[in-house]
Amino acid sequence: MSEPRSAATTSSADPAASVPSGPAHAPPPAGATPGAALESLVALMRILRGPTGCPWDREQTLDSLLPFVLEEAHEVVEAAERRDLDELKGEIGDLLFEGVFLSQLCAETGDFTITDALNDVRAKLVRRHPHVFAPDAATAAITTPDAVKDRWDAIKVTERAEKGRERTSHVDGVPEGLPALLRASRISAKAAKVGFEWPTPEQVLEKIDEETAEVRAALADGDDAHVAEEVGDLLFAVANLARKLALDPEALLRAANRKFATRFRAMEARLAEAGTPVGGEAASLEVMEAAWQAGKRS
């Protein structure tokens, strides 16, 4: 779970000095079933938000919690990718807690409760799985994952129309809060559904070459704003290539980040052993590059 940021910035030399003393609270007992465990977490959240609870928790708002929601979601993904199941268990708990926290804030304003949120998603899942919960002749053809997705999307369109939230563009509906590479992939996938798509990966590569040339031209012009725009176009084209190859650009970049960090650490260790530590005057770019390439070969 993310540690409070704002509390850390206001503590004095004695961390306990900034925390007012108050009555001790008995934490709710752990639950032996999913329902009991959720109820205990909700009760715990009420205590933390209460008048004698935690000052940091009490000052949070919907807006202040959003970065933590994104952070916890990313940590779930990271733990799952590493197949660290013990870590994954904890990160799933942290992500669920963020949902409980947000729901508590909304309960305090009288908008909805965690029970309302859970019942809402339950009803949604039942409604969007007619082939499971209300099979009939119309759903008999839903026998593949692709067929399920098509029916799911059709039901979502109907739901939006009933709520007066019809979309005006085929690329609507991709959350702005998604990581940018993932959002680029989703947007280009929506465009591809209506035929706005390069037929082959090779043609996407040609587009990447074109965007790279435009970056070079912008650099030659010395226009920083134009350079930034063209680099953005290049990144979008690369994300489109990944999607075209049925690859997740976010997962690819996370893997590349890990690979770079591993190789950089190996380079640091190699140069330290040679007496030319990274950051020192002797560790020129040429020296570091040679150690990097040696590490790749080994």
Side-chain angles (χ1 to χ4, degrees):
M1 188 183 304
S2 300
E3 294 181 358
R5 270 60 167 179
S6 57
T9 62
T10 58
S11 59
S12 62
D14 178 7
S18 63
V19 180
S21 60
H25 294 278
T33 66
L38 180 60
E39 286 185 6
S40 179
L41 183 58
V42 172
L44 184 67
M45 187 71 255
R46 291 196 191 103
I47 292 173
L48 294 175
R49 286 280 297 177
T52 57
C54 172
W56 187 88
D57 288 297
R58 288 203 307 272
E59 79 169 4
Q60 298 314 302
T61 65
L62 291 179
D63 289 333
S64 72
L65 289 178
L66 297 185
F68 300 132
V69 175
L70 291 173
E71 180 180 334
E72 298 300 353
H74 286 300
E75 290 178 354
V76 167
V77 171
E78 181 182 348
E81 286 184 337
R82 288 190 284 106
R83 295 299 187 270
D84 187 337
L85 300 187
D86 186 62
E87 186 74 10
L88 178 60
K89 175 185 65 177
E91 297 301 346
I92 289 174
D94 289 349
L95 184 58
L96 288 171
F97 172 75
E98 296 299 337
V100 169
F101 205 152
L102 290 168
S103 296
Q104 177 61 29
L105 267 62
C106 292
E108 292 168 7
T109 57
D111 292 296
F112 66 84
T113 67
I114 185 66
T115 302
D116 297 325
L118 293 171
N119 284 332
D120 186 80
V121 71
R122 175 198 171 278
K124 182 188 300 181
L125 289 171
V126 171
R127 189 168 61 248
R128 294 184 182 178
H129 289 84
H131 53 294
V132 176
F133 299 108
D136 56 20
T139 63
I142 304 178
T143 58
T144 67
D146 286 342
V148 170
K149 187 176 185 308
D150 289 342
R151 183 58 182 265
W152 178 286
D153 290 342
I155 293 172
K156 284 177 65 176
V157 170
T158 300
E159 290 172 352
R160 286 194 297 270
E162 291 173 349
K163 294 179 180 179
R165 298 177 181 172
E166 295 93 339
R167 290 172 180 164
T168 59
S169 170
H170 286 286
V171 296
D172 286 346
V174 183
E176 297 239 2
L178 286 178
L181 279 178
L182 179 57
R183 188 162 189 264
S185 179
R186 296 277 179 86
I187 290 174
S188 65
K190 282 180 172 285
K193 277 192 171 184
V194 293
F196 195 76
E197 165 85 317
W198 296 111
T200 68
E202 288 74 20
Q203 288 172 300
V204 184
L205 280 170
E206 291 175 6
K207 182 64 176 176
I208 290 173
D209 291 341
E210 176 186 326
E211 296 295 352
T212 302
E214 291 178 0
V215 171
R216 293 183 185 279
L219 283 169
D221 291 341
D223 186 336
D224 291 344
H226 190 201
V227 169
E229 179 183 356
E230 295 301 343
V231 171
D233 290 347
L234 177 59
L235 288 171
F236 188 92
V238 171
N240 197 20
L241 175 64
R243 180 197 57 78
K244 185 69 177 174
L245 296 171
L247 299 170
D248 177 357
E250 281 291 324
L252 297 180
L253 188 54
R254 285 195 298 271
N257 288 341
R258 287 193 293 271
K259 181 170 67 175
F260 178 89
T262 297
R263 289 179 175 175
F264 192 89
R265 292 187 186 102
M267 177 194 71
E268 289 177 309
R270 184 180 294 272
L271 290 178
E273 290 176 0
T276 54
V278 171
E281 292 184 3
S284 64
L285 176 59
E286 291 75 13
V287 169
M288 288 189 288
E289 177 64 18
W292 177 279
Q293 294 300 330
K296 286 180 63 175
R297 290 191 296 272
S298 64

